[in-house]
Amino acid sequence: MATDTLTYLAGAVVGRVRSLVDPTGSASATAGRTAAGWLAVTVLRDPGDVDLASLPAPLAEFGHRIEVRADPAPAGKGTELRARLRDRRPPGPAPARLAGADPEADLRSALRRAKQLLEVGAVLTVDPVPHGRRTATPGGALLEAWTRGAAGAGVR
Amino acid sequence: MRAITWRGVNEIGVEDVPDPTILDPGDIVLEVGLSVTCGSDLHLMGGYIPAMRAGDVLGHEFMGTVAEVGPAVTRHRVGDRVVVVSFIGCGQCWYCRQGLWSLCDNGNPNPGMTEALWGQSIGGCFGYSHALGGYAGSHARYIRVPHADHGAFTIPDGVSDERALFASDAAPTGWTGADQAGVQAGDVVAVWGAGGVGQMAARKAMLMGAERVVVVDRLDNRLEQVRTHIGAETLDYEQVDVLAELREMTGGRGPDVCIEAVGMEAHGTGVQHVYDQVKQQLRLQSDRPTAVREAIHACRKGGTVFTLGVFGGLVDKFPLGAVMNKALTLRGAQQHGQRYVPEILDLMDSGEVRTEHLATHVMSLEQGPEGYRMFKEKEDGCVRAVFKPAG
Ligand SMILES: NC(=O)c1ccc[n+]([C@@H]2O[C@H](COP(=O)([O-])OP(=O)(O)OC[C@H]3O[C@@H](n4cnc5c(N)ncnc54)[C@H](O)[C@@H]3O)[C@@H](O)[C@H]2O)c1
Ligand SMILES: [Zn+2]
Ligand SMILES: [Zn+2]
C-alpha cells in the first residue's frame, strides 16, 4: 500500500473515533478550520520577545507564503502566535488533517517547532530511538505512516 | 544492549537493540539500575493503546546511575544515583511552569495523535507508545533521558535503590491524585485499586491528614500490604458490598474524596462486566470504567472523584446524572512527578514513605516475558516485577 493511502487510512480511523465525540468533526470538508484560516499556538514569552521581523527558522522558511500575527495572551499566558497560508486552498478533509496529510500540515508542524524554539531554545531530538526488530504487520505499517505525519497532524 | 520489547498483543520479547546516545545538550544517558512493570504497561500489552510497534522498548519507571551527561546539564554528573520521572517535561512552557508537568506542550513530538483523539495533546512518556512520543523505554541496560535537569533527581544516600525506584512513577502518581483531588484534614478518602498506584495515593492521603483512608480491591495479598505497609483500612469487593460499607463508615455521607487507581481494564462482576467486556472487545468502547462508576456512586454530595487509572478513549454507561446532580468534581491526570519527587525522596529518607514491599519479584531482563506474565496474572502474589538489567 502506498504511504499516502496508509496515512489517509490512519487518519480515517481517528476521524471515526472523533466523529463519535464531536459530530461536527467530520460533518463537512471544511469543518475544524476557521473561516479566516489561522492556525495558532500560545508561546510562554512576552510579546516583545516574539519578533515578527526575525521569525524562528521553521516559520521563516515559508517566506511570503504565510502571514503571521502575534498578540498578547490573557492572564500571563504569553503570546498568541498565529500563522496562515496566503494561498488558502480548500483545507483537506478531516481524516487527512488528523493524519497530517493536508495542505496545512507543514505549517502546523512549523508553528509547533517555532513555539518550542521560542520557549526552550531548541527542538527536542527524538531519532534515532533504540528499538528491536520491526516485523511487518498491517497495524505496524499503519502506525508508521501515521507517526510520519503526526508532527503536522492535529486539529489546530 | 539487551532490552525487553513489545512484539505484539500479549507478546513480550527480549532482544538486542542499539545503545542510546546523547542527542540533545540537555540529555543524560543513564545506566539503568532497576526498572519496573507498571499497571499502565498492561494496557499496552493488551493492545488497548494501539500505538505500539513491534520492537518498541517497554518500561517507564526506573532509577540508575548517570553514565554520560550532555553539555547543558547542570544538576547531574557522571556517577550520580538518580531516579527519573516517567513523563518528559521541558520546564519552560506554561504547563510545566504551573507544575502540570505531564501536560507539557513540548514533550511529545507526535502531538497530532492525541490532539486528534482528545482535542489537545499531552506530554511525552518513556516507553509508552508512539502516541506519547515514541521514546524508548527503560527495560534496557541504558536509556537516554532528555531534559534531565528537570526529570532526573539525585537519590539521598540513605534511600535504597528498591525504595527510590518507586519515586519515578507509582508514588508521584499517588501524590498527584491525592493532592490534585484536594484532600483536606479530616476527610474520608476511598481508593479503588491496591496496586502500587492505589497504595501510594492512600499513603499521600494519610500524610495530608485524612481521618480515614479505605482501599478497595479483591486480591488478599495486596489488601494485606495496604494494612501492614501503608496503614490504611481495606474492603474486599468480592466479600462485601462496597457502596453499603462506605456509606455506613461515613455516617451515610459517602467518602469526601474517591480516587480511582484501576484503569481501563477494571475487573468486574455480573451483567455489567459482561456488557463492558463485549463492548470493549468489539471496539464499541475503548475502556471499561467499572471502578469509576462505583466511585461516582459512592462519593458524597459535592465531593471529588479523581481518575488516576489510565483511560484511552470512550466509555459507555457513564453516570453523568450522578456527577451533575450530586455536584461532584471529576478530575484526572497523568502524574506531575517533577513537582512531587523532591518531597517524596525526603519522606523516603525519613522513613515515612516505604515502597520496597511493592517489589515482590526481582528478575533479570531475560526474564521479561515471565515477569510480565506474572504481573498481568497477579501470579504468586506479584505486585510489581522489577528488572535488574545488570543481572
Ligand atoms: N495517572 C498516571 O500518571 C498513572 C501512572 C501509573 C499508573 N497509572 C494507572 O493506574 C492504574 C493502576 O496502576 P497499578 O500499577 O497500580 O496497576 P495494577 O494492575 O498493579 O493494580 C490495579 C489493581 O486494581 C484492582 N482492580 C481491578 N478491578 C477493580 C475494581 N473493579 N475495583 C477495585 N479494584 C480493582 C486489581 O485487582 C489490582 O490490584 C492503571 O490503570 C495504570 O495505568 C496511572
Ligand atoms: Zn506507570
Ligand atoms: Zn513543558
Side-chain angles (χ1 to χ4, degrees), chain A residues 14 18 44 77 98 112 115-116 119 124-126 129-135 143-144 146-147 150 153-156, chain B residues 7 15 17-18 24 51-56 92-94 105-106 109-113 115-116 119 134-136 144:
Chain A
V14 196
R18 260 184 68 86
L44 190 60
K77 289 193 175 69
L98 295 173
R112 289 175 175 141
K115 167 182 159 74
Q116 211 178 132
E119 289 182 337
L124 193 65
T125 312
V126 179
V129 173
H131 63 77
R133 194 167 38 91
R134 297 287 196 212
T135 36
L143 183 60
E144 192 193 341
W146 192 20
T147 313
V155 293
R156 67 181 71 239
Chain B
R7 300 258 12 118
E15 54 188 316
V17 311
D24 286 328
M52 293 294 287
R53 293 187 64 198
D56 285 346
Q92 312 298 333
C93 72
W94 187 80
D105 271 340
N106 298 314
N110 301 328
M113 292 188 185
E115 197 172 277
Y135 296 96
R144 167 200 174 219

Side-chain angles (χ1 to χ4, degrees), chain B residues 49-92:
Chain B
I49 293 178
M52 293 294 287
R53 293 187 64 198
D56 285 346
V57 180
L58 287 164
H60 58 264
E61 183 164 31
F62 60 104
M63 55 75 58
T65 309
V66 176
E68 247 184 284
V69 294
V73 175
T74 60
R75 287 180 52 200
H76 302 290
R77 287 199 208 134
V78 171
D80 282 2
R81 199 167 60 107
V82 301
V83 58
V84 178
V85 176
S86 54
F87 267 81
I88 297 160
C90 77
Q92 312 298 333

